[in-house]
Amino acid sequence: MATTMAETKVSTVVEAPAERVWELIGSFHGLGDWHPDLPESSLGNELTGNAIGAVRVFEFDGTVLHETLLGYDEDARSYTYSFPDGTFHLDGYRATLRVTPVTELGASFVEWKATYDAEAAHRKESGDLVRGVFASGLAALRERFAA
């Protein structure tokens, strides 16, 4: 089947300084601590913390998802990860979560984006799934820091 490259990008402004937001979301293994739709992850290999190559494992709705940390930049407040080809009908999946200061407002711009190849038959369904996970996580993050 033919696949096409796709990108999903969701962003928001959070009413808190970037340092505070990153403190909450900057741990690769801590996604389940703040995302309302994801359980806590378990370690998938011997690498802990934000070590490149670390694997986090989520188990939900009968699905086991392994995500591997590909890049981590504390100074830029971002990390990039992937999951195995074929997961959710996606191949070449790479996602980045990034926090950037909005200095004038003392707030943060948070962006979560992914690129992937998707079979035409599953492109909309898979894109909607990724977009939904990103959007619900960022909405919860925004609400958590709301004044």
Side-chain angles (χ1 to χ4, degrees), residues 46-69:
E46 70 283 352
L47 298 174
T48 60
N50 297 314
I52 304 305
V55 175
R56 64 185 177 197
V57 179
F58 294 103
E59 295 184 40
F60 55 96
D61 298 333
T63 300
V64 177
L65 177 62
H66 295 80
E67 296 181 334
T68 302
L69 186 62

Side-chain angles (χ1 to χ4, degrees), residues 12 14 16-18 21-22 76-77 98-103 107-111:
T12 194
V14 175
V21 175
W22 184 246
R77 295 182 198 90
R98 176 184 332 271
V99 180
T100 306
V102 180
T103 56
S108 303
F109 177 75
V110 183
E111 179 181 64

Side-chain angles (χ1 to χ4, degrees), residues 22-92:
W22 184 246
E23 185 177 298
L24 175 64
I25 72 172
S27 169
F28 177 65
H29 293 285
L31 183 59
D33 295 341
W34 61 269
H35 195 297
D37 299 329
L38 298 175
E40 287 188 34
S41 62
S42 59
L43 297 178
N45 61 14
E46 70 283 352
L47 298 174
T48 60
N50 297 314
I52 304 305
V55 175
R56 64 185 177 197
V57 179
F58 294 103
E59 295 184 40
F60 55 96
D61 298 333
T63 300
V64 177
L65 177 62
H66 295 80
E67 296 181 334
T68 302
L69 186 62
L70 303 175
Y72 189 89
D73 189 332
E74 181 75 30
D75 294 332
R77 295 182 198 90
S78 73
Y79 67 78
T80 300
Y81 63 94
S82 66
F83 54 64
D85 285 352
T87 304
F88 305 119
H89 303 287
L90 302 173
D91 291 333

